[in-house]
């Protein structure tokens, strides 16, 4: 009796946990690393993926000793799971090995289906068939079933996840725009409120929520949305609301009708291997305007911390003194929490141990109250306490003068990245990632590898001047970078180096690429 052949179309999903389904039923993809290998191939469907790129994406800084053999083993496992009818000695058609690497013919992929549906929804909207456009757009959003590439970590997966989330946010704006055009106001409010919480930097969603509230007769709540948006953007990122929010606010104040804005569908991201097809461009600095801030909506203006925070220095210096050495460890514990560095935890523990040493000496041999001389142990406790006060005061003051990578800096970098993803033109104008420009905001120390000059890239701890020069030359010859992971893909940095410097790198999309005869390498 022969086994019944497995048939039926395959469908792959990345808009949530990575899955493969046949006839609607999930397929067992094996261990987690094997699933991660499949995810790397799904990020470049129908295109060869070199083995070294799979190793970098899946294992990062800890690659296996023989990465090629390990990848080959997992690919064989995927072939058995995805194409069980194939004879082991026959070449596979679903997952093949070429000179350029492994190629997966993904067939039905939910991310491609998502983009195709959005394009159809936009076409229906432009044709005036709003009900059909809304149904298709809603169906596209329903394809999401969790966090994209759920459970997978690493620079390549994180970059792909960020792009997919940006596409989903644009799709939400498109759907809300269609619904506003249809006249559905009251029913949109709760959904738009949820989306604003999910995408707080997406100003289009906030503007659409204001329009929905205004058309529902809730003008006060619509104005409150603008106040909340302005307060959030100023407090968290130091940006004024953009022109769309400002104009919506003005129209509501004048009680004027507000048309639903036209939102273009999100563009599918360029394939990773196609960056060489982009015309070389001259990495000129982003346009900088001396116009007043009120005429530059969306321009961050939070003062950048350019000097020493003297209040923190004074606190670190006097805390051991006013606590008689017993609080000498407190500032270092605070620094450890802020900087998330093991060395500061050890330093704080060392000062705390010294405090216990003072207490031990104080009580191990106490002198009698009527004694004219204190004991040697008590004298040692006093000397140790004075030493701790002097060392901790000086050490704390010096540490406070060099704030390092604090939690606030990390938060500012995350917000600046989100702002650049949602508002690339404003990010270029503001100079996010351009420490060489005069700026009036704090991006947490980001460096834009698409626009920053060589000397600024070389200042990133972990990138030497030779690597910085290669990065600048390569961006001219092969086009801009879409995410920092491409620095590894193009052979410019090692995966270990990228993992160390990635928190400080950003790739702000350039303006329309412009050819130049010679690269501009300041």
């Amino acid at each position: 009796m022969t086994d019944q052949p497995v048939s039926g179309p395959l469908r792959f999903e990345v808009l949530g946990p990575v899955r493969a389904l046949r006839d609607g039923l999930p397929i067992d993809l094996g261990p987690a690393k094997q699933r991660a290998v499949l995810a790397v191939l799904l990020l470049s469907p129908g295109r060869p993926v070199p083995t070294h790129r799979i190793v970098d994406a899946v294992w990062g800084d800890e690659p296996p000793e023989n990465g090629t053999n390990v990848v080959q083993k997992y690919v064989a496992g995927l072939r058995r799971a995805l194409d069980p009818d194939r004879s082991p000695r026959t070449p596979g058609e679903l997952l093949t090995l070429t000179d350029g690497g492994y190629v997966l013919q993904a067939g039905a992929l939910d991310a491609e289906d998502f983009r195709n549906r959005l394009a159809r929804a936009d076409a229906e909207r432009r044709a005036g068939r709003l009900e059909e456009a809304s149904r298709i757009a809603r169906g596209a959003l329903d394809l999401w079933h969790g966090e994209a590439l759920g459970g997978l970590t690493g620079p390549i997966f994180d970059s792909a996840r960020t792009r997919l989330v940006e596409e989903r946010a644009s799709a939400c704006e498109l759907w809300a725009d269609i619904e506003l055009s249809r006249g559905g106001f009251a029913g949109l409010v709760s959904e738009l409120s949820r989306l604003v919480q999910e995408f707080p930097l997406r100003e289009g969603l906030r503007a659409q929520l204001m329009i929905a509230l205004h058309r529902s007769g809730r003008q006060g709540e619509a104005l409150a949305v603008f106040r909340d948006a302005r307060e959030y953007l100023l407090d968290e990122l130091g940006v004024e609301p953009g022109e769309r929010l400002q104009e919506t606010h003005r129209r509501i104040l004048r009680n004027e009708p507000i048309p639903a804005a036209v939102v273009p569908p999100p563009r599918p991201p360029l394939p990773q291997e196609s960056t060489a097809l982009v015309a070389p461009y001259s990495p000129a600095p982003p346009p900088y305007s001396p116009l007043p801030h009120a005429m530059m909506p969306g321009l961050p203006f939070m003062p950048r911390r350019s000097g020493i925070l003297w209040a923190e220095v004074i606190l670190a210096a006097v805390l051991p003194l006013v606590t008689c050495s017993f609080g000498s460890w407190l500032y270092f514990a605070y620094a450890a929490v802020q900087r998330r560095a093991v060395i500061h935890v050890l330093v704080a523990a060392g000062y705390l141990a010294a405090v216990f040493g003072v207490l031990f000496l104080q009580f191990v041999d106490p002198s009698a109250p009527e004694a004219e001389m204190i004991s040697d142990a008590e004298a040692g406790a006093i000397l140790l306490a004075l030493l701790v006060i002097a060392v901790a005061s000086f050490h704390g003051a010096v540490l406070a003068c060099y704030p390092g990578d604090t939690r606030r800096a990390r938060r500012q970098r995350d917000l600046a990245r989100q702002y650049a993803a949602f508002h690339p033109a404003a990010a270029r104008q503001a100079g996010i990632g351009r420490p060489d420009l005069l700026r009036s905001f704090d991006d947490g120390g980001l460096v834009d590898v698409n626009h920053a000059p060589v000397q600024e890239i070389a200042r990133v701890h972990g990138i030497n001047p030779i690597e910085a020069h290669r990065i600048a030359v390569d961006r001219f010859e092969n086009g801009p970078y879409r995410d920092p992971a491409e620095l590894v893909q193009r052979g410019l940095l090692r995966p270990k180096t990228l993992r160390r410097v990635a928190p400080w790198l950003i790739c702000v999309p350039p303006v329309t690429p412009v050819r130049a005869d010679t690269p501009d390498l300041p």
Side-chain angles (χ1 to χ4, degrees):
M1 182 176 179
T2 59
D3 293 336
Q4 197 70 13
V6 178
S7 61
L10 275 173
R11 177 176 176 81
F12 297 94
E13 295 181 348
V14 294
L15 303 181
V18 176
R19 299 196 304 170
L21 303 96
R22 180 179 282 108
D23 294 329
L25 299 176
I27 298 173
D28 183 7
L29 295 175
K33 294 295 186 184
Q34 187 165 294
R35 188 184 299 266
V37 171
L38 174 63
V40 179
L41 297 173
L42 288 173
L43 293 179
S44 303
R47 298 190 300 276
V49 182
T51 302
H52 70 84
R53 183 175 302 174
I54 299 177
V55 173
D56 292 342
V58 177
W59 285 275
D61 289 342
E62 300 177 354
E65 289 187 7
N66 196 333
T68 301
N69 290 346
V70 176
V71 171
Q72 187 177 13
K73 182 188 76 171
Y74 285 136
V75 167
L78 288 173
R79 283 171 174 160
R80 288 192 298 269
L82 301 176
D83 195 7
D85 292 337
R86 182 186 65 87
S87 172
R89 297 187 178 182
T90 59
E93 296 182 359
L94 179 67
L95 210 170
T96 59
L97 178 61
T98 67
D99 293 338
Y102 289 99
V103 179
L104 175 65
Q105 303 298 335
L109 178 63
D110 61 349
E112 295 300 325
D113 188 13
F114 172 72
R115 298 177 185 120
N116 292 335
R117 292 192 188 197
L118 291 181
R120 287 170 49 206
D122 183 65
E124 294 290 338
R125 183 194 61 159
R126 295 177 185 276
R129 295 184 286 270
L130 298 180
E131 185 174 351
E132 180 67 8
S134 176
R135 183 188 66 80
I136 297 174
R138 185 72 262 177
L141 291 170
D142 289 341
L143 292 175
W144 286 72
H145 49 279
E147 181 187 47
L149 301 168
L152 300 177
T153 58
I156 291 179
F157 295 128
D158 291 342
S159 299
R161 183 180 297 113
T162 299
R163 292 195 299 269
L164 289 170
V165 170
E166 292 171 18
E167 291 186 57
R168 180 170 178 268
S170 296
C172 290
E173 287 192 21
L174 175 63
W175 170 78
D177 176 61
I178 295 171
E179 289 297 305
L180 287 173
S181 300
R182 291 179 62 198
F185 312 136
L188 268 179
V189 171
S190 59
E191 180 68 10
L192 283 172
S193 299
R194 183 189 66 79
L195 291 173
V196 165
Q197 294 296 320
E198 185 176 356
F199 305 106
L201 291 177
R202 201 77 181 191
E203 294 189 14
L205 292 171
R206 292 184 183 269
Q208 289 168 333
L209 176 58
M210 293 173 63
I211 294 172
L213 287 168
H214 177 59
R215 293 183 179 179
S216 301
R218 300 156 66 176
Q219 183 178 15
E221 294 179 59
L223 296 175
V225 170
F226 179 81
R227 290 194 298 271
D228 292 343
R230 187 173 187 273
E231 180 179 354
Y232 175 84
L233 294 172
L234 291 177
D235 289 347
E236 299 296 337
L237 187 59
V239 301
E240 279 284 356
E243 181 57 34
R244 183 177 180 185
L245 267 179
Q246 299 274 11
E247 179 62 21
T248 302
H249 180 242
R250 287 191 291 267
R251 285 176 175 258
I252 292 176
L253 287 175
R254 296 193 293 261
N255 201 23
E256 296 178 356
I258 310 172
V262 176
V263 181
R267 290 184 176 182
L270 292 173
Q272 293 177 1
E273 288 76 14
S274 68
T275 53
L277 302 179
V278 181
Y281 77 107
S282 175
Y288 182 80
S289 172
L291 295 177
H293 179 268
M295 300 180 65
M296 301 172 64
L299 177 61
F301 68 91
M302 180 182 293
R304 182 180 179 85
R305 179 176 174 179
S306 56
I308 298 174
L309 191 60
W310 290 108
E312 186 173 328
V313 175
I314 293 173
L315 176 64
V318 303
L319 191 60
L321 180 62
V322 299
T323 60
C324 298
S325 81
F326 296 116
S328 58
W329 59 277
L330 291 174
Y331 177 75
F332 299 96
Y334 165 79
V337 172
Q338 289 294 314
R339 307 182 190 208
R340 296 183 183 178
V342 177
I343 183 63
H344 297 302
V345 175
L346 296 177
V347 169
Y351 282 110
L352 184 59
V355 170
F356 281 112
V358 172
L359 292 174
F360 176 78
L361 293 174
Q362 183 71 32
F363 295 105
V364 69
D365 185 20
S367 58
E370 64 276 7
E372 296 182 359
M373 301 287 293
I374 61 174
S375 66
D376 291 341
E378 287 179 323
I382 294 174
L383 290 176
L384 180 59
L386 292 175
L387 179 64
V388 169
I389 291 173
V391 174
S393 296
F394 177 76
H395 187 185
V398 171
L399 186 63
C401 290
Y402 299 93
D405 190 26
T406 63
R407 179 180 296 178
R408 180 181 181 277
R410 290 190 293 271
R411 179 175 178 79
Q412 289 303 117
R413 289 198 297 269
D414 290 341
L415 289 172
R417 283 194 180 90
Q418 295 179 41
Y419 186 72
F422 294 147
H423 311 287
R428 288 192 300 269
Q429 184 183 33
I432 285 180
R434 294 296 307 273
D436 57 305
L437 297 181
L438 264 182
R439 302 175 302 173
S440 54
F441 71 100
D442 185 1
D443 62 5
L446 287 174
V447 174
D448 178 14
V449 294
N450 277 338
H451 299 93
V454 173
Q455 59 268 27
E456 295 299 338
I457 300 176
R459 287 196 181 106
V460 177
H461 184 66
I463 299 180
N464 60 50
I466 296 177
E467 292 170 331
H469 182 80
R470 290 173 57 199
I471 289 171
V473 170
D474 188 82
R475 73 186 180 189
F476 168 77
E477 294 179 345
N478 297 318
Y481 307 101
R482 298 189 58 243
D483 55 66
E486 287 193 13
L487 297 174
V488 171
Q489 296 166 14
R490 300 190 191 186
L492 302 170
L493 293 179
R494 294 178 299 171
K496 186 176 182 179
T497 302
L498 176 65
R499 188 176 292 273
R500 186 165 62 247
V501 303
W504 287 271
L505 301 184
I506 188 173
C507 301
V508 178
V511 198
T512 305
V514 178
R515 293 187 178 274
D517 294 330
T518 57
D520 179 15
L521 300 177

